[in-house]
Amino acid sequence: MKKVLMFVLLLLLVLGGCGNQGVNSNEKVESNEEKESKYGEDLDLIVNQILENSSKAEEVVNTYAFIWNNSINSYVTLDDVKTKLGIEENKVREYFEMSGYGGSSNILIDDFNKNLASLSKYYSDTGKIQELESASEAIKANLKELNNPPETYKNAYNEVLEFYTLANEYIQLATNPAGSLITYNQSRNQLSTEVIGKFERIQIIMPEANTQEDN
């Protein structure tokens, strides 16, 4: 691009024509429009990445809540875990301790702390936690690359930053579940609502790409 601008400048100096200056001005406008359009595409991609990572975290968060709640208020069966995690019986027995003599039953032990620890180990061993954390860090790095938005996208960028922050808090419920069952459920319900609300707001205020082209 530097070489192109230099040649354009040389032509202007040699020809000194106003017509050529007009062409140069149009080229700059087109270049700015292209850059702005590309920025919008990149920002929109990040929004989708945040939503996708939040969606993956939601599955983990909801499973924690299910195991936690049922371990306290009723019981968790082997089939429950198979269905929630999509794994075979032998894998469930590898990670989770069953009740009964020698773990002979198909019901998890009546200890929510151990059941949650077993679930956490499963997610860690299978790379689920690392996947969420890695994606979150990659999104953060991509956001830093876009920290100088054009005027048209400044509001949208700030909203996306808030979207990332809320989503990251939600993801931490999956990577580091803590507190009591009551506070955990309160946090997941509140953050889930806020994440969805922020995403919907971004969809409203995000400038339309074709608006730039039409102008």
Side-chain angles (χ1 to χ4, degrees):
M1 181 59 70
K2 288 182 179 179
K3 289 184 178 180
V4 173
L5 291 177
M6 185 178 293
F7 282 129
V8 170
L9 179 59
L10 287 173
L11 285 171
L12 288 173
L13 290 174
V14 171
L15 300 175
C18 295
N20 284 332
Q21 185 174 358
V23 172
N24 182 47
S25 175
N26 289 336
E27 286 180 353
K28 286 185 177 180
V29 170
E30 290 174 1
S31 177
N32 288 336
E33 287 179 348
E34 289 172 0
K35 289 178 180 178
E36 192 167 302
S37 178
K38 178 63 165 58
Y39 183 94
E41 291 174 1
D42 291 343
L43 191 61
D44 191 56
L45 177 60
I46 287 177
V47 170
N48 291 333
Q49 290 171 341
I50 294 173
L51 187 64
E52 180 181 0
N53 207 34
S54 299
S55 177
K56 292 178 180 178
E58 183 177 34
E59 180 183 341
V60 176
V61 169
N62 287 346
T63 302
Y64 269 119
F66 175 84
I67 297 293
W68 204 334
N69 178 74
N70 285 27
S71 294
I72 293 175
N73 297 316
S74 56
Y75 57 86
V76 182
T77 69
L78 185 149
D79 284 340
D80 286 335
V81 181
K82 283 175 59 180
T83 300
K84 289 290 183 181
L85 300 181
I87 58 178
E88 298 298 324
E89 178 178 334
N90 63 335
K91 186 63 69 173
V92 176
R93 292 187 181 278
E94 177 183 341
Y95 282 94
F96 295 86
E97 186 177 347
M98 300 295 155
S99 61
Y101 180 75
S104 58
S105 78
N106 290 330
I107 298 177
L108 271 62
I109 58 173
D110 186 19
D111 188 328
F112 74 89
N113 282 316
K114 286 187 176 181
N115 290 340
L116 292 177
S118 296
L119 182 59
S120 178
K121 187 176 189 317
Y122 169 79
Y123 280 134
S124 180
D125 287 353
T126 55
K128 189 72 173 182
I129 301 303
Q130 295 88 333
E131 178 185 347
L132 292 171
E133 292 176 335
S134 177
S136 184
E137 286 300 311
I139 292 169
K140 181 179 179 180
N142 290 336
L143 271 172
K144 286 183 177 180
E145 292 293 323
L146 299 180
N147 66 359
N148 188 27
E151 189 65 33
T152 308
Y153 283 94
K154 281 186 176 179
N155 289 338
Y157 177 76
N158 290 332
E159 292 289 342
V160 174
L161 279 181
E162 293 180 12
F163 183 42
Y164 171 79
T165 300
L166 288 171
N168 204 43
E169 289 180 23
Y170 184 76
I171 289 167
Q172 286 177 15
L173 294 177
T175 60
N176 185 32
S180 67
L181 175 60
I182 293 175
T183 60
Y184 188 79
N185 280 331
Q186 287 174 340
S187 294
R188 77 185 179 101
N189 291 332
Q190 178 180 342
L191 285 170
S192 177
T193 299
E194 291 178 352
V195 167
I196 292 172
K198 183 61 69 174
F199 174 77
E200 291 176 344
R201 174 171 171 76
I202 290 171
Q203 299 312 296
I204 294 172
I205 70 170
M206 183 75 80
E208 293 285 346
N210 58 8
T211 300
Q212 304 301 323
E213 295 174 1
D214 292 340
N215 292 335

